[in-house]
Amino acid sequence: MPDNSVSFDEYDEIHSPRHGQTDLDRVIEAAIDRRGFVGGALTFGLGGFLLGTTSLTTRAEAAADRFGFRQIPAGTEDTIRVPDGYRWETLISWGDPLWSDSPNFDESTRGTAASQQRAFGDNNDGMAIFQAGGRTVFAVNNEYTNRGIIWGNRPEGKPANDDDILKGLLAHGVSVFEIARDGDGWSVVKDSPLNRRITPDTEMEITGPAAGSDLLRTAADPTGARSRGTWNNCGNGQTPWGTYLTCEENFNGYFSSSDPDYERSPSMRRYGINLDDWGYGWAGVQERFDISRHPNEPNRAGYVVEIDPLDPNSTPKKRTALGRFKHENADVVLADDGRVVVYMGDDERGEFLYRFVTENRYTEGGDNSDILDSGTLYVARFSDDQTGTWMAMTPETTGMDADEIAVNTRMAGSLLGATTMDRPEWVASNPFQAEAYVALTNNKNRGLKPNAGGDATPVGGPNPREANVYGQILRWRPDGGDHAADTFVWDLFALAGNPTVHSDENAGSANVNAGNMFNSPDGMMFDQRGFLWIQTDGNYSNEGDFEGHGNNQMLVGDTATGEIRRFLVGPDEAEITGLAWSPDRKTMFVGVQHPGERGDSHFPGGGDSVPRSAIVAVSREDGGLMG
Ligand code: FEO
Ligand code: CA
Ligand code: CA
Ligand code: CA
């Protein structure tokens, strides 16, 4: 039996699902009806596209054992909590050295630029595990730093010198390191030949339609085909050919202007590049971050970067064909004909959801190394009748040159009338059927303010609540079951909320209740049983609208029945983000980001220790499968 928690029949059903009709199946039937029913009677109350309550409870009870655990309550303790029968331990924390010649994390100084260069970065986010030649290799994003933590040894949490600023800079990027089984757990293999730090200083190539463009020519690289470094690496993707995709999200917050009267371009304004940075101070140590001197530098960031984690000498490639925006993650699936499809969200209020379809087909064992350089980028438009369209972003459809589309992708999306979304975070595709899910985390501006490009943000469609504080999970199924199809139907898998505080639409959908409620869904990934794991990055005040939600958490959803159950609660002031499984599926690695971001946590060390972002390893006490 594959897993002690489920019967073989149940396991088989999960692996070869003969799904009962889901709400989305009913949407599809209705959509088919509506196509012969223009102007039809479909009215758009919330109930029109949410999971119905009919038989949900019965089906959830029937499925109860498939999850293999009892739901845990919300919590506000400064630790990790998991259900009975499960345990967790810390694999690696910010500042842990990847090489034995580098010092252990120093609680009093919190490290130096030199130690950070050879240690695990800060604020780990998306991550993936690779295997080759008997080795197990982890690639992990290190998204950003919190001033009050990384410079918490300095007055007011401000850098005291250039080395402090460089330490912060080098805490960004990607950490690649080997792990190995150690007794019944996992540990980091220091000094592995595969260990590598990729930072904002690592040389990179720019590939795809914007390579060599005037928009990318800078003093540092007059050819427009090279870039230096990656930062604010948020979610991730993993390709079938064994590479890691790291997604550059809030790249804008690192640029500033030495000229207080500098006139920013429309592109800078759309992407939030301002005269001041967000406190990182990078322009003080590297002039390239000064936009008044180097106005094209911001155009070299905001991409999906492809990394070969098994070749420490490889040059990371910024794939401009996948567009430039605040990339959350990059979910990779194959179309029926073998072309590669990448789903991507742009995490900003009122920005868009994207899809890239390669020109060429993936060939197993063949050379797929530059397959992400040619293809078509699409942006989504959602209709209120629960259908939608992927609109191709080409010179013909937009009137923009191919390099402009790749660099100023948001403007191309606006030209096409794409649907403004409630902050698209991770996309997760279901391995058992052609459908995908995106977390729309929240959007306080919904219905109240346009996006930065002036596009309206009307209440409706997949963004149904004004000033949306809780977020929702949207799913779509491509027509014909093919991810390359240009049309789809959609519904909402869950509308987060608080049914103990609200009785209107802010109570949430029928599958959200007092026992499992949460806000701000963000990280999402399917496991190999077909369950959808949901991580949150939300309001952890546990007060007002959020009373009873507790700390950020991880839940798991059964997408056939709609049931959602809380599996893990994080420590104080942390986000739960990033998910990967060991090759034997017996360990689930979970990211804990910025515990104590407001100064009130000592996770994971306890006592008076400095709070540190970390990856924890969660397993079953009986050694069973974790998904
Ligand atoms: Fe880095 Fe949108 O989260
Ligand atoms: Ca996120
Ligand atoms: Ca978030
Ligand atoms: Ca975060």
Side-chain angles (χ1 to χ4, degrees), residues 123 125 143-144 537 575 577 593-594:
N123 275 22
D125 204 315
E143 189 180 30
Y144 68 107
D537 170 23
E575 166 184 351
T577 183
Q593 195 189 51
H594 60 66

Side-chain angles (χ1 to χ4, degrees), residues 125 143-144 232-235 249-250 326-328 347-348 423-426 441 522 537 575 577 593:
D125 204 315
E143 189 180 30
Y144 68 107
N232 213 285
N233 305 82
C234 184
E249 192 188 20
N250 291 301
K326 293 190 178 182
H327 279 283
E328 182 72 21
D347 180 9
E348 184 113 57
R423 296 186 53 201
E425 304 255 22
W426 292 49
T441 196
D522 190 332
D537 170 23
E575 166 184 351
T577 183
Q593 195 189 51

Side-chain angles (χ1 to χ4, degrees), residues 239-250:
T239 67
W241 53 96
T243 59
Y244 183 70
L245 303 178
T246 182
C247 302
E248 298 177 340
E249 192 188 20
N250 291 301

Side-chain angles (χ1 to χ4, degrees), residues 186-252:
W186 289 87
S187 60
V188 174
V189 180
K190 277 189 195 173
D191 304 318
S192 164
L194 297 178
N195 290 359
R196 181 182 191 186
R197 276 306 317 280
I198 293 167
T199 72
D201 276 340
T202 303
E203 271 291 307
M204 313 214 158
E205 269 180 56
I206 291 173
T207 70
S213 162
D214 285 348
L215 297 168
L216 293 176
R217 292 171 197 250
T218 62
D221 173 38
T223 71
R226 310 284 302 175
S227 184
R228 186 169 159 199
T230 185
W231 56 90
N232 213 285
N233 305 82
C234 184
N236 69 291
Q238 193 165 14
T239 67
W241 53 96
T243 59
Y244 183 70
L245 303 178
T246 182
C247 302
E248 298 177 340
E249 192 188 20
N250 291 301
F251 64 92
N252 56 317

Side-chain angles (χ1 to χ4, degrees), residues 236-504:
N236 69 291
Q238 193 165 14
T239 67
W241 53 96
T243 59
Y244 183 70
L245 303 178
T246 182
C247 302
E248 298 177 340
E249 192 188 20
N250 291 301
F251 64 92
N252 56 317
Y254 301 81
F255 294 95
S256 58
S257 171
S258 59
D259 173 1
D261 300 319
Y262 181 72
E263 195 63 44
R264 292 175 302 147
S265 67
S267 169
M268 288 177 182
R269 290 199 295 273
R270 180 67 184 267
Y271 284 89
I273 289 140
N274 290 316
L275 302 185
D276 296 312
D277 71 10
W278 294 356
Y280 299 105
W282 292 6
V285 293
Q286 295 187 358
E287 192 195 90
R288 62 181 166 132
F289 290 100
D290 180 346
I291 55 170
S292 64
R293 295 200 167 109
H294 303 281
N296 277 353
E297 276 288 347
N299 293 343
R300 302 208 291 171
Y303 297 103
V304 173
V305 186
E306 187 172 8
I307 294 168
D308 180 354
L310 302 175
D311 178 1
N313 298 313
S314 59
T315 302
K317 294 179 177 176
K318 296 203 172 191
R319 301 295 189 188
T320 66
L322 278 62
R324 175 171 165 269
F325 44 91
K326 293 190 178 182
H327 279 283
E328 182 72 21
N329 83 328
D331 185 64
V332 181
V333 285
L334 293 180
D336 284 356
D337 64 4
R339 285 179 292 163
V340 180
V341 175
V342 188
Y343 289 117
M344 302 171 286
D346 181 354
D347 180 9
E348 184 113 57
R349 294 180 190 100
E351 290 296 342
F352 310 133
L353 183 69
Y354 295 88
R355 178 188 70 164
F356 178 74
V357 183
T358 57
E359 183 184 338
N360 297 316
R361 293 167 191 196
Y362 163 69
T363 45
E364 196 171 348
D367 179 6
N368 303 287
S369 57
D370 292 319
I371 196 170
L372 296 179
D373 282 342
S374 41
T376 305
L377 188 62
Y378 297 80
V379 66
R381 180 190 277 159
F382 292 84
S383 299
D384 281 354
D385 67 358
Q386 291 182 266
T387 65
T389 309
W390 292 108
M391 299 182 290
M393 311 178 82
T394 66
E396 295 70 37
T397 61
T398 63
M400 295 166 69
D401 292 340
D403 61 333
E404 290 179 328
I405 295 168
V407 173
N408 290 314
T409 310
R410 286 180 168 181
M411 281 118 119
S414 290
L415 282 171
L416 289 171
T419 300
T420 57
M421 307 299 284
D422 284 348
R423 296 186 53 201
E425 304 255 22
W426 292 49
V427 179
S429 52
N430 186 336
F432 294 108
Q433 64 187 103
E435 63 177 18
Y437 293 67
V438 64
L440 300 171
T441 196
N442 56 57
N443 181 2
K444 67 182 181 187
N445 294 342
R446 171 62 55 188
L448 304 174
K449 252 178 97 170
N451 71 10
D455 304 322
T457 64
V459 174
N463 308 284
R465 290 180 294 191
E466 184 174 285
N468 173 18
V469 298
Y470 294 118
Q472 64 267 19
I473 298 172
L474 163 68
R475 70 176 154 190
W476 65 93
R477 275 193 202 157
D479 285 350
D482 182 2
H483 284 290
D486 289 341
T487 51
F488 55 84
V489 295
W490 62 268
D491 77 347
L492 292 180
F493 172 67
L495 197 60
N498 193 328
T500 66
V501 172
H502 299 286
S503 52
D504 61 5

